[in-house]
Amino acid sequence: MRLVLAELAGTVPEPVRLVAEHLPGLLGLTPGLAPLPMDRLAEGPAAFRDWLAGLATSRTDASVPGLVTWLDSVGQLLGRPASGRTTLPTEADPIVFALVDDPAVALTVGVRTDPATGATALVWGARISFTGAGVDARVDGDAVLLVMPLGDPAPVTLFERLDLVVTAPAGGGRLYPADGEPTGALRVGGLRAGVRYTAADRAVRPLLELRDVRVDLDGTPTELPLVDLTDARSLTAAAQSLLDEAIDAGLGPAAGPVAALRRLVGLGTTPGVDLALLATAPGAAIAAHYRALRAGGAGWAPVLADLARLAGVDAPAVAGAGTAADPWAVDLPAFAGTSLAVRLSLWDSGTPAAPVFTLGLGLAAGPRSTPPCRGGPTRG
């Protein structure tokens, strides 16, 4: 009998084996934990959130936090090993579920605690990281996708923020001048450039900073561990000019996702962001850059193409006219081996004198034929 069972086990598909092995943990059927209240789930999502809140404050018979045990079951259903943690994950130190290796794509989850009230929330996020081809720079994306209050009737927050950042050099070494070359009036250790979108105020904020900077003006050297180019107090006008040259020389022509982010931020492009204005009024500088892009013949279609490149699409195909009825749209493959895609859509809901940047997100199956269902538009 045992031989027959062993032979049958060898014929069970891997997804079925994973479900059979880890579904009990997903349902809370672990010694020391309360099981998932199946009879209350039909009453609404509060029952599930209350159950998760209980897991966050309980431990299994093996002294592992109940929430960690449940999250490990989620990860193992995805084919990933258990985390081995004995403490609750936090936003700063989350549990990370690696989904794809190249580019590195991962799902993150941690517990957020409000210092004023002690209220907790489960925070689900996503990370992506890859190195650009032909340039010594790394692109990192970090998003908070879902914030679920635990044991609290407060509403769930979807897509709280998104960070996209280019870091150069990708590893060690110096940005400008290159290692081994003589240093002149300027030395720059590294560059971080990108944008942050926050849903609470629907705002896009630029990030542009240089690290380990040495500026020699009129024979007087100045060491600057961090130069924030969005802060007018960081450097003089003469130093701004030198640093602008260093950014272009250090990054070079770039390619792929690195070039895409440079275009989105407006670094070394035409039209481009005004660094002097960026240092005094970053919001106005970014808005002026995007108004100039909108006035071009292609409108914001290239912006959507660059967003797709940052998501790993080599040759994005953008369709549409940029109106609410027929937005610019591009599909991002969502699940390998299927026709499902995440559809990004973008349109101008303003006027020629006052354009309004509106971004939509939805799911699509098959080729684009009709305007997509849009969710959570972002205006800027």
Side-chain angles (χ1 to χ4, degrees):
M1 184 66 164
R2 290 179 181 175
L3 180 60
V4 172
L5 290 175
E7 290 177 350
L8 287 175
T11 64
V12 174
E14 182 65 9
V16 175
R17 185 194 68 77
L18 288 173
V19 170
E21 186 173 346
H22 302 297
L23 185 60
L26 198 67
L27 299 177
L29 303 177
T30 301
L33 298 184
L36 179 66
M38 303 292 292
D39 57 329
R40 293 183 51 214
L41 292 184
E43 300 173 6
F48 179 64
R49 289 160 61 174
D50 290 344
W51 179 67
L52 289 179
L55 292 182
T57 57
S58 62
R59 286 184 174 265
T60 67
D61 289 353
S63 214
V64 176
L67 187 59
V68 170
T69 299
W70 182 75
L71 290 172
D72 279 346
S73 297
V74 173
Q76 288 169 312
L77 279 171
L78 296 173
R80 298 298 174 177
S83 66
R85 298 181 67 110
T86 58
T87 58
L88 281 176
T90 64
E91 277 193 279
D93 182 25
I95 288 178
V96 180
F97 303 126
L99 303 179
V100 180
D101 295 328
D102 187 20
V105 180
L107 188 67
T108 66
V109 60
V111 175
R112 175 188 295 175
T113 302
D114 187 323
T117 65
T120 58
L122 199 60
V123 181
W124 293 86
R127 293 176 180 172
I128 182 169
S129 180
F130 51 92
T131 301
V135 63
D136 187 12
R138 187 182 73 250
V139 178
D140 295 301
D142 185 8
V144 173
L145 304 176
L146 174 69
V147 180
M148 178 189 296
L150 299 179
D152 188 319
V156 169
T157 301
L158 295 175
F159 197 51
E160 182 181 77
R161 67 163 176 83
L162 169 66
D163 293 349
L164 289 172
V165 179
V166 166
T167 302
R174 187 172 58 213
L175 176 70
Y176 176 82
D179 287 338
E181 294 182 1
T183 58
L186 177 68
R187 184 194 68 205
V188 180
L191 163 74
R192 294 181 71 236
V195 292
R196 162 170 284 194
Y197 164 74
T198 49
D201 53 6
R202 293 181 175 179
V204 177
R205 296 179 177 84
L207 166 70
L208 185 55
E209 61 187 29
L210 301 173
R211 297 179 181 273
D212 301 323
V213 175
R214 176 189 170 99
V215 181
D216 189 349
L217 295 175
D218 300 325
T220 303
T222 301
E223 298 281 351
L224 302 169
L226 175 66
V227 176
D228 183 354
L229 293 180
T230 65
D231 185 347
R233 299 165 297 179
S234 292
L235 67 167
T236 66
Q240 272 189 351
S241 177
L242 285 174
L243 294 177
D244 192 10
E245 294 175 12
I247 291 171
D248 285 339
L251 280 182
V258 177
L261 190 49
R262 286 191 62 163
R263 287 190 294 269
L264 290 172
V265 179
L267 284 176
T269 62
T270 302
V273 72
D274 183 336
L275 278 181
L277 182 59
L278 187 69
T280 56
I286 293 295
H289 173 55
Y290 274 80
R291 280 196 298 270
L293 288 175
R294 179 67 182 95
W300 285 328
V303 173
L304 199 60
D306 282 333
L307 288 173
R309 289 186 182 93
L310 288 174
V313 179
D314 291 332
V318 177
T323 64
D326 185 22
W328 294 298
V330 65
D331 288 350
L332 313 178
F335 302 98
T338 75
S339 61
L340 285 178
V342 174
R343 178 161 292 166
L344 286 178
S345 54
L346 173 62
W347 65 100
D348 181 358
S349 57
T351 64
V356 177
F357 186 102
T358 310
L359 185 66
L361 182 68
L363 284 177
R368 181 180 187 274
S369 56
T370 58
C373 295
R374 299 188 276 277
T378 299
R379 295 171 181 260

